[in-house]
Amino acid sequence: MISTMAAGSAESPGLRVAFFVLVEIVVAAGLTLTIVRVRRSAKSPEKQMARLAAQLDGRNQVYIRKVEIGLSQQDLLRVAYSRGYSLIDHRVGKYYEFVYTPYQPGRLA
């Protein structure tokens, strides 16, 4: 039992270093994604609407995180209606879902 613990302690510095490196990589990636999303939401409303319209290109569903877009709900509905989409506001998950509904565009769910 003691020999097993002693053998485990000899390997633990390498495992600790690997664990901390992995944690740092995950934190850096998360921080980078957050910065990119916040920078996107800081663009002018016209550029954001143009980017949203480009993403609504006929696919059945499009998902956009709320942090990525700083448009009002009326602006989102206006773009969705013009492209034949309906908007679903997922408040718990903090994202918007655009569903292609050419027969009833512009609905809010």
Side-chain angles (χ1 to χ4, degrees):
M1 179 82 161
I2 293 174
S3 63
T4 306
M5 292 171 68
S9 65
E11 295 176 356
S12 63
L15 290 175
R16 286 182 185 166
V17 169
F19 174 74
F20 285 124
V21 168
L22 180 64
V23 168
E24 289 177 12
I25 290 172
V26 169
V27 168
L31 186 60
T32 302
L33 286 174
T34 302
I35 290 170
V36 167
R37 289 177 176 164
V38 168
R39 288 191 67 204
R40 284 182 184 167
S41 69
K43 291 185 178 180
S44 70
E46 292 83 15
K47 286 185 179 181
Q48 290 184 37
M49 290 173 85
R51 187 172 60 86
L52 176 60
Q55 289 179 332
L56 302 178
D57 58 358
R59 291 180 276 174
N60 289 335
Q61 295 175 324
V62 177
Y63 301 98
I64 297 178
R65 307 278 312 165
K66 287 185 177 183
V67 72
E68 290 182 23
I69 199 153
L71 296 173
S72 68
Q73 204 165 34
Q74 289 108 2
D75 289 338
L76 293 171
L77 282 171
R78 189 176 308 130
V79 174
Y81 180 78
S82 71
R83 296 292 185 160
Y85 283 82
S86 295
L87 173 65
I88 301 172
D89 183 5
H90 294 276
R91 293 184 179 152
V92 174
K94 296 184 180 178
Y95 66 95
Y96 295 110
E97 179 181 0
F98 294 87
V99 180
Y100 189 60
T101 54
Y103 49 89
Q104 291 180 329
R107 295 179 57 134
L108 176 65

